[in-house]
Amino acid sequence: MSTDRIQIFDTTLRDGEQVPGCKLNQAEKLTIARQLEALGVDVIEAGFPASSPGDFAAVRAIAAQTREATVCGLTRAVEHDIRTAAEALRGAARPRLHTGIGTSALHLNFKLHLSPDQALERAVAAVRLAKSFVEDVEFYAEDAGRTDNEYLARVCEAVLKAGATVLNIPDTTGYCLPQEYGAKIKYLADNVRGIERATLSTHCHNDLGLATANSIAGVMNGARQIECTLNGVGERAGNTALEEVVMILRQHPYLGLDTGINARLLAETSALVSHLMCMPVQANKAIVGANAFAHSSGIHQDGIIKHRETYEIINPHDVGVADSSIVLTARSGRAALAYRLQKIGYDLEKPALNAAYASFLQLADRQREVVNEDLHRLMEEVKVLA
Ligand code: KIV
Ligand code: ZN
């Protein structure tokens, strides 16, 4: 079976950086952009150049530094935004302008005060202007998740004719169910004339915790680009987590979809973004959380010690994590205690292990975790008693 390549469009520096508290300075943005290129992302959305002089300068510096990945700048369907972003991207080896407008009835009626036809005209004019600067123009239909599919298809067809190379279908408010979002992508793939000339892209927010599931539904129904961020940072509840979609496709090869990401750099890239954005990663975060490869219950620890795959679907080395860990708590069993004691130099016969385990449980009931220093002390005590 052949494997289709899914493009990874990273928007950590745009959708992620606009989050309160995640602001980065230019040097930090350049560091992250360098790491994203090493990670193998296809597109780096470097910022929104018209939003501030600082963002303009950062996009310009990232464009100058980046040679392999496409560098993208966001705009509204506004002439000044497009001209400013084109100027910021002038030094890029592979520039992309990302322009768009709201398409849902809510956006047309309450935000833009435009009729559907007027919004469509603005969209076409924006794409035409962007196309006069760069070949690669991505169009986003903001709030596509809540946009009527027939109108959305009409807009997509018109911007395609105007020269758009990528059609971004954002679930801006994280509203859609996976089946619904997948059906939307399929509807566009089946009904937009000329769609074979463009790439359909997902951009899913996480308001209902469905961003990753929706992105995967999107690529299973014809999208070939996923927009995402490291650690899922992004507006409100966040965006699709890059590490999750990459590993889902890798863990399910029968889907026939894969990315060009070097997954062994996922852990260090996640840590870098978390550190520079001052945004801690929750311990139980999939793939990159501190507990993603930690085992604490006796039943699981026994299984992991006998055969890692009993409780792990990913080899931690594959995502750049040094090893799985066995955390000793009051829920741990003898097997885990014996395993850890052996690692730190105590090879115990059954009776000694039983004695050590009884003392261990008393200690573990008093504290959250039992660490190696505790075990050395405990072994001294057991020796004294013996
Ligand atoms: O969520 C969204 O709709 C966006 C667009 C600007 C692409 O971030
Ligand atoms: Zn977004």
Side-chain angles (χ1 to χ4, degrees):
M1 187 184 66
S2 69
T3 299
D4 270 12
R5 176 79 138 67
I6 301 298
Q7 303 276 310
I8 291 293
F9 175 116
D10 181 276
T11 183
T12 305
L13 294 174
R14 200 280 297 168
D15 211 310
E17 204 257 355
Q18 70 198 41
V19 169
C22 286
K23 174 100 189 59
L24 301 166
N25 63 35
Q26 183 167 315
E28 291 165 339
K29 289 181 190 174
L30 282 165
T31 302
I32 291 179
R34 214 172 293 121
Q35 180 72 17
L36 291 174
E37 214 181 7
L39 183 65
V41 309
D42 300 283
V43 185
I44 298 172
E45 186 161 55
F48 179 2
S51 66
S52 77
D55 217 31
F56 176 90
V59 173
R60 183 147 68 179
I62 292 168
Q65 159 187 289
T66 308
R67 296 295 93 183
E68 291 301 320
T70 294
V71 179
C72 178
L74 183 80
T75 84
R76 295 166 295 177
V78 168
E79 183 174 341
H80 170 74
D81 282 18
I82 296 169
R83 290 188 184 281
T84 307
E87 179 57 26
L89 290 173
R90 220 147 40 98
R94 301 168 202 263
R96 177 183 293 180
L97 284 169
H98 188 191
T99 191
I101 195 164
T103 51
S104 66
L106 277 163
H107 278 230
L108 296 180
N109 294 334
F110 296 106
K111 190 180 91 163
L112 299 165
H113 306 291
L114 293 174
S115 71
D117 285 343
Q118 285 170 324
L120 186 144
E121 273 168 35
R122 282 264 301 271
V124 167
V127 169
R128 281 216 184 102
L129 179 61
K131 197 76 181 176
S132 72
F133 294 107
V134 294
E135 174 48 37
D136 192 3
V137 175
E138 174 166 341
F139 173 79
Y140 65 86
E142 197 182 6
D143 204 15
R146 293 185 298 172
T147 299
D148 166 68
N149 283 349
E150 240 174 80
Y151 174 61
L152 187 58
R154 205 147 66 78
V155 173
C156 286
E157 204 163 299
V159 295
L160 247 174
K161 265 201 203 131
T165 47
V166 181
L167 299 175
N168 178 11
I169 311 301
D171 185 20
T172 304
T173 57
Y175 170 76
C176 289
L177 293 170
Q179 191 190 20
E180 189 182 1
Y181 188 74
K184 188 175 283 285
I185 296 291
K186 182 160 171 31
Y187 180 86
L188 297 173
D190 290 345
N191 291 285
V192 172
R193 251 168 308 184
I195 194 73
E196 62 288 346
R197 296 197 307 272
T199 302
L200 277 164
S201 180
T202 68
H203 179 114
C204 299
H205 279 269
N206 204 33
D207 299 68
L208 293 171
L210 291 171
T212 294
N214 284 343
S215 302
I216 296 298
V219 292
M220 286 174 70
N221 282 280
R224 285 295 173 267
Q225 176 178 279
I226 296 178
E227 308 199 1
C228 47
T229 61
L230 263 300
N231 305 333
V233 287
E235 195 73 20
R236 305 181 310 282
N239 209 298
T240 301
L242 180 150
E243 61 278 8
E244 294 176 10
V245 290
V246 166
M247 291 316 292
I248 288 169
L249 297 183
R250 219 145 273 178
Q251 292 304 117
H252 295 276
Y254 56 84
L255 292 176
L257 304 169
D258 200 6
T259 69
I261 294 295
N262 175 4
R264 283 177 187 254
L265 292 183
L266 284 174
E268 78 174 57
T269 310
S270 156
L272 176 76
V273 167
S274 166
H275 169 70
L276 293 179
M277 285 189 161
C278 302
M279 185 61 111
V281 176
Q282 72 195 55
N284 60 334
K285 169 78 187 60
I287 322 291
V288 293
N291 291 349
F293 299 98
H295 306 273
S296 57
S297 92
I299 297 171
H300 290 210
Q301 291 174 336
D302 183 46
I304 279 282
I305 291 165
K306 288 176 174 149
H307 186 75
R308 190 189 57 76
E309 288 172 24
T310 52
Y311 288 98
E312 273 181 3
I313 58 163
I314 297 171
N315 185 331
H317 298 176
D318 291 348
V319 296
V321 172
D323 224 335
S324 319
S325 56
I326 299 280
V327 183
L328 293 181
T329 71
R331 303 293 153 260
S332 299
R334 276 180 186 73
L337 178 64
Y339 174 79
R340 176 72 72 79
L341 284 173
Q342 197 178 36
K343 284 210 157 206
I344 62 171
Y346 304 94
D347 215 343
L348 302 190
E349 296 295 330
K350 209 167 179 189
L353 177 63
N354 286 344
Y357 186 63
S359 302
F360 162 79
L361 281 184
Q362 282 181 8
L363 179 65
D365 265 339
R366 292 198 301 274
Q367 58 191 56
R368 287 196 174 165
E369 187 182 336
V370 175
V371 297
N372 290 350
E373 291 73 51
D374 298 318
L375 291 181
H376 286 302
R377 229 174 297 121
L378 186 136
M379 289 311 293
E380 281 303 308
E381 285 164 20
V382 172
K383 229 191 304 174
V384 171
L385 289 175

